[in-house]
Amino acid sequence: MILQRTLQHIATAVAGRILKNADISMASAWVEAGRLEDAEQYLLAVLSHQPVNADALHLAGLIAHLKGDQARAVTLISKATEHAPNEGLYYFNLGNAYLASGATENGIQAFQQATSLNPDRAEAWINLGFALIEMKRHQEAVSAFIHVLELAPEYDVDLAFASALVGAGTVRNEPTMVDRAIALLESKPKEGYEGYASGVILARALEHRNRLSEAIKQYQSLLGAYPEHIGIRNNLARCLVQLGQVDESRIHYRLCVNAAPDKFHAFSALLAGLNYDPDMTPDMHEAEVRNWEKQLASPNYPFNLKFTNKRDPERPLKIGYLSPDLRQHVVGHNFLPVLEHRSQDRFSVVCYHIGKKEDDMSRRIAALSDDWRHIHGASDDEVADAIRQDSIDILVDLSGHTSKTQPLVFARKPAPVQVSWLGYFDTTGLATMDWFITDPYSSPPGQKQYFSERLYRLPHTRLYYHPYPGMPEVGELPAKRNGYVTFGCLNNLAKINTQVLDLWAEILAASPTSRLLIQTLALCDKLNLERFRALCVKRGIDPARLELRPATPLEKFAQTYHEIDIALDPFPFCGGFTSFDALWMGVPVVTLEQQRLAGRQTIAMLMNLGLPELIAATKCDYLSIALELGHDLTRLQQLRSELRMLFLQSPLIDHRAFIQDQEQGYRYFWKCWCRKNSTRAH
């Protein structure tokens, strides 16, 4: 909004700078004096005798623009440019008319022509920069504002320039650009509405640089002035989750949901966050999911569904995969084997990437797919329409209620069969989601009560492991060189709640020479690191025995397991691919059995590896298993040397067999639909 206000100001400020010839000098003066009706009548008379008078056409178009008739303004000024194609001012005002009409791309083209003809016109560069920001072409906007700073430093374009820097730096992963925006905003504080806009941009920049505690302070300050602003509150909640402060984030997400349940993905974030809460009962969880379905999903459920898909149970099928994470992300990386090992003669694949970023991983996935659709920014209806037009037989969700997803696409039921798999660890709550892919260990008997979907259990595992390229070899047992055992955890800090810390403190107290190493992204934030350290110390953990580290780059993270003897799994939300990584690196994982699937992922891994002795039924068992392992270095050494071979011999890394099992599931889902609909047809 602040950028739009500034744009209007600039456009008005230069409106009177028109070319004047003898025929229209009076009309020009009237325009400058605000006598638009008089000027317009005079120009009509001029044009009736001189229809190709470019100055008259331009001025008449400018009057139409000022009066709000943008269609007429575009028509008249466009004609002026036909007769005087080298007048940069004409293109400048044409760009203003296009922007006012909502035709931003056309406006950008007009401003680019204006700056090409008159490169010293700062106003044209300014409006070009604003238009480029609106179209999220941030890198080009940065270049435009650099021209402004060189030509006319008296113009205050700090906010727009900072916004462009943050947008470009985020997309291009260039932190120096974001840091420049932070320095600019912090050095030039604003007041009033500009202060609000500056605060929003600054908070976003701090968040991108993982200076989350500072971002939180910005959002809290903004909420103090604008307590009803749901977007700011949602951003605050998101930062709190990333710092592991889940309880506080839940309060803000709930306020967002109460005020605007259909905005900002806050309701989905609330549902996903339930899995972190150790006090969440099954009944409480069910009530939350049903509330989401009632408010958001049910109104989108279709009536009288009709699909034109051929009801042949044996024909080749078209599978669609929908996710915001078909990029360099744990989901994108682990999705690759599905495409590499699928039966191409029996299953074709269309990938729908609803995420903003595309990268090398996106391009790999696109190359392995039959069709690739990058449809970021499309509405739920538009995405569903695209899926229907592609005649998808089975649509697979890879995100559930995780970040930046669109579960309400599935509420619209754009495909005959809809399936949840890989990217989510809980029920979607959708009556239109037909199946949830799981396994006997993640979902033992009695789990049906937790799901709105029908459970389909693959024979061994719902997840497989796909090691990242360059994963190092298993190292020697750290305890042998250190003389003490190091327990460790590399999970999301949100999973390490106070109950988890209490149990880990007991382990350290009973093993007085041991150490605890925790490495995770949220500890990149120095203030949060100290907050979490104080939380550990409060539970009796000696800070000298505690190693807290920020996350390392992807290519280095696995090396941390060379320093860990035993991995401690959090609860009630256990490790997923983090547990896979630890086990692959020869580090045994002690896990506590939970009711819900989100707390059973490590169990499935250990059962497939033949290591049920690492699964604790109670907290007392967890304590005993961890201590016994810590006192048996021979057993630890054996596990470290054998785990990778156990992996290689297990279903966890047999991608071909997994894909075959998955495709059998797809075929079964399709046959069920064909039988059901054949019965209805008769």
Side-chain angles (χ1 to χ4, degrees), residues 435-449:
W435 298 92
F436 185 96
I437 293 179
T438 184
D439 60 61
Y441 310 112
S442 299
S443 301
Q447 291 280 305
K448 183 179 179 180
Q449 61 176 314

Side-chain angles (χ1 to χ4, degrees), residues 137-184:
R137 292 163 59 177
H138 295 103
Q139 183 62 50
E140 296 171 80
V142 167
S143 298
F145 288 119
I146 288 175
H147 277 92
V148 176
L149 295 174
E150 293 172 349
L151 292 169
E154 68 274 13
Y155 277 123
D156 184 0
V157 294
D158 292 346
L159 294 184
F161 187 35
S163 179
L165 285 166
V166 174
T170 302
V171 172
R172 295 167 61 90
N173 196 26
E174 293 186 8
T176 55
M177 300 182 77
V178 182
D179 289 340
R180 184 177 179 183
I182 292 172
L184 175 63

Side-chain angles (χ1 to χ4, degrees), residues 97 243 279 301 325 346 387 464 485 489 506 517 588 606 623:
L243 289 185
D279 299 318
Y301 288 162
D325 300 319
R346 302 291 290 159
I387 292 165
Y464 53 75
V485 168
C489 179
E506 287 188 56
L517 189 161
L606 294 172
L623 178 66

Side-chain angles (χ1 to χ4, degrees), residues 174-336:
E174 293 186 8
T176 55
M177 300 182 77
V178 182
D179 289 340
R180 184 177 179 183
I182 292 172
L184 175 63
L185 294 171
E186 289 182 335
S187 66
K188 296 183 177 180
K190 304 287 185 180
E191 295 181 355
Y193 192 85
E194 287 191 347
Y196 155 76
S198 176
V200 171
I201 299 168
L202 178 57
R204 177 176 158 226
L206 291 167
E207 187 177 352
H208 178 71
R209 295 294 283 128
N210 287 319
R211 293 166 59 179
L212 295 172
S213 293
E214 296 171 80
I216 285 171
K217 288 182 180 179
Q218 282 291 326
Y219 286 130
Q220 288 172 333
S221 176
L222 289 165
L223 274 180
Y226 303 91
E228 304 302 319
H229 199 299
I230 305 304
I232 294 173
R233 190 175 298 280
N234 182 78
N235 293 350
L236 170 61
R238 183 179 62 241
C239 289
L240 288 165
V241 169
Q242 292 178 74
L243 289 185
Q245 301 177 42
V246 183
D247 291 343
E248 188 176 351
S249 75
R250 192 178 297 116
I251 294 171
H252 291 287
Y253 273 134
R254 202 172 293 283
L255 288 170
C256 291
V257 168
N258 291 341
D262 60 334
K263 301 294 184 184
F264 305 109
H265 302 287
F267 219 145
S268 281
L270 181 64
L271 294 185
L274 298 177
N275 291 280
Y276 296 107
D277 187 353
D279 299 318
M280 180 65 55
T281 67
D283 287 344
M284 292 165 60
H285 188 281
E286 172 72 11
E288 296 279 11
V289 173
R290 293 283 73 81
N291 185 31
W292 173 83
E293 184 196 26
K294 179 180 179 181
Q295 291 198 55
L296 297 186
S298 296
N300 293 293
Y301 288 162
F303 296 97
N304 301 319
L305 269 177
K306 293 181 180 179
F307 294 103
T308 59
N309 307 61
K310 186 178 179 182
R311 294 181 179 85
D312 178 351
E314 301 298 337
R315 69 172 175 82
L317 298 176
K318 183 179 282 191
I319 313 296
Y321 291 96
L322 178 70
S323 175
D325 300 319
L326 300 179
R327 54 185 174 86
Q328 189 58 58
H329 183 276
V330 65
V331 169
H333 173 76
N334 284 281
F335 177 56
L336 280 178

Side-chain angles (χ1 to χ4, degrees), residues 102-113:
T104 307
E105 284 290 356
N106 290 338
I108 289 172
Q109 293 175 19
F111 289 134
Q112 287 173 332
Q113 186 67 17

Side-chain angles (χ1 to χ4, degrees), residues 384-399:
D385 286 343
I387 292 165
R388 289 190 191 96
Q389 290 172 13
D390 287 333
S391 298
I392 296 298
D393 298 311
I394 299 177
L395 181 63
V396 185
D397 179 27
L398 302 180
S399 52

